[in-house]
Amino acid sequence: MDKHLLLICALTFIIHIIGTLAYSVRIAGIRTRRIAVSLALFSILMLLSRTSNSFLGPFLAKRVETGIDQHVAASTLLLDFRWLLFSASLATILGAILIPTFQRAFCRAVEHFQVHRSVPKLLLHAVFKGGLSYLKTSASLPKPANVTGLRQQSGVSVSMTAMNVIATALWTVGVFAALYAGVLDPSVRVTSSTLSSIINGGATIMMAVFIDPHMSGMTDDVIEGKIEESQFRRAVVWLVGSRLAGTLIAQFLLVPSAVVIVGVAKVL
């Protein structure tokens, strides 16, 4: 793996680990009873994810263009995309492990913001005034009970879990498939690179219409005491597991999705 591919893998890793840690923000919001503040502060990390995403596309497109110009075999470029999808799965696993630690640290950040009401002060405190040392003391692994108790009621149906698997798989593979389509047929590579929405458009709809509202409703139910926090945690475990499954399934969807995009690009 060369340095350029390693950089692209790192950007993919950042995007997916932040996406996985988003589940812990709801838990922190429940603990602190500050849902809105928690989501607002998490948007700072989302800026990092969006910045990584804005660089990921051009860097990967440049690698594809260079490979086509140098007549690199499609199988070789396909291996690059496999590494990127593997980075997404690895980031999801690490994000799942870090959820308890991140949740504790994020609760502390919310409490600090409630006192000072300043994001710059919060960032300075996190970096220079003991924030990093607190991160060390709050480090914790996921409790085995959260996994062994999955048979109990979680509030997430089988259909919702399956939908999260499909949505994650499509969202993960969308941009990659659009760029790999240019490898399969360089004559339509510019058109193909703009057609990622054919694949991940459905994922966006499923997340916005079904998954996110369902989790928001569960969050409010915990705040109102209608369901227990332990049940919400089991729901998070199910969704994180289905997210990991989605990144793994994306490996199998990459080539078929790219073929579909090539077909659409030729028709347009």
Side-chain angles (χ1 to χ4, degrees):
M1 182 183 295
D2 56 78
K3 293 181 179 179
H4 190 253
L5 180 58
L6 186 62
L7 173 61
I8 300 174
C9 284
L11 294 174
T12 304
F13 188 91
I14 291 171
I15 293 168
H16 283 270
I17 195 171
I18 292 177
T20 305
L21 290 174
Y23 293 111
S24 64
V25 175
R26 295 185 183 275
I27 300 175
I30 291 171
R31 287 286 182 87
T32 60
R33 296 297 191 268
R34 302 285 183 179
I35 301 295
V37 173
S38 298
L39 293 176
L41 292 182
F42 188 71
S43 65
I44 299 173
L45 283 181
M46 287 304 299
L47 285 176
L48 178 60
S49 175
R50 289 165 185 161
T51 302
S52 299
N53 197 38
S54 66
F55 283 103
L56 175 63
F59 283 171
L60 186 54
K62 178 63 177 180
R63 187 174 185 86
V64 170
E65 289 282 355
T66 302
I68 293 174
D69 292 340
Q70 296 178 354
H71 304 289
V72 176
S75 58
T76 301
L77 289 173
L78 177 60
L79 183 60
D80 291 350
F81 285 93
R82 298 293 187 200
W83 276 112
L84 294 174
L85 292 173
F86 175 75
S87 299
S89 299
L90 186 62
T92 304
I93 294 172
L94 182 59
I97 296 173
L98 291 177
I99 281 179
T101 301
F102 186 81
Q103 171 245 309
R104 289 173 172 81
F106 205 80
C107 284
R108 180 69 175 268
V110 171
E111 292 169 357
H112 185 276
F113 181 82
Q114 284 300 118
V115 175
H116 299 282
R117 300 296 177 96
S118 171
V119 171
K121 287 184 178 180
L122 175 60
L123 295 176
L124 289 174
H125 177 79
V127 177
F128 298 109
K129 297 183 179 181
L132 296 179
S133 62
Y134 177 78
L135 189 61
K136 294 179 181 179
T137 58
S138 62
S140 175
L141 293 174
K143 294 181 180 179
N146 291 330
V147 178
T148 57
L150 287 179
R151 293 183 179 180
Q152 303 177 29
Q153 185 179 2
S154 66
V156 179
S157 63
V158 174
S159 60
M160 187 66 64
T161 303
M163 193 179 299
N164 197 48
V165 172
I166 297 170
T168 302
L170 294 176
W171 182 81
T172 300
V173 82
V175 174
F176 295 156
L179 292 174
Y180 185 66
V183 177
L184 297 181
D185 192 339
S187 65
V188 292
R189 63 179 181 269
V190 176
T191 304
S192 297
S193 66
T194 65
L195 294 176
S196 62
S197 59
I198 292 177
I199 304 301
N200 57 23
T204 302
I205 293 173
M206 283 189 284
M207 289 180 177
V209 176
F210 299 104
I211 300 171
D212 289 343
H214 181 78
M215 289 303 294
S216 297
M218 283 194 68
T219 304
D220 289 341
D221 287 344
V222 178
I223 294 291
E224 295 173 3
K226 295 181 180 179
I227 63 174
E228 296 180 355
E229 184 180 332
S230 58
Q231 184 176 344
F232 183 82
R233 287 179 175 275
R234 288 194 295 272
V236 168
V237 173
W238 274 111
L239 290 176
V240 171
S242 61
R243 181 183 178 90
L244 175 59
T247 62
L248 295 174
I249 292 174
Q251 294 276 5
F252 302 96
L253 295 180
L254 175 60
V255 176
S257 299
V259 171
V260 170
I261 290 176
V262 169
V264 174
K266 288 182 175 181
V267 171
L268 293 177

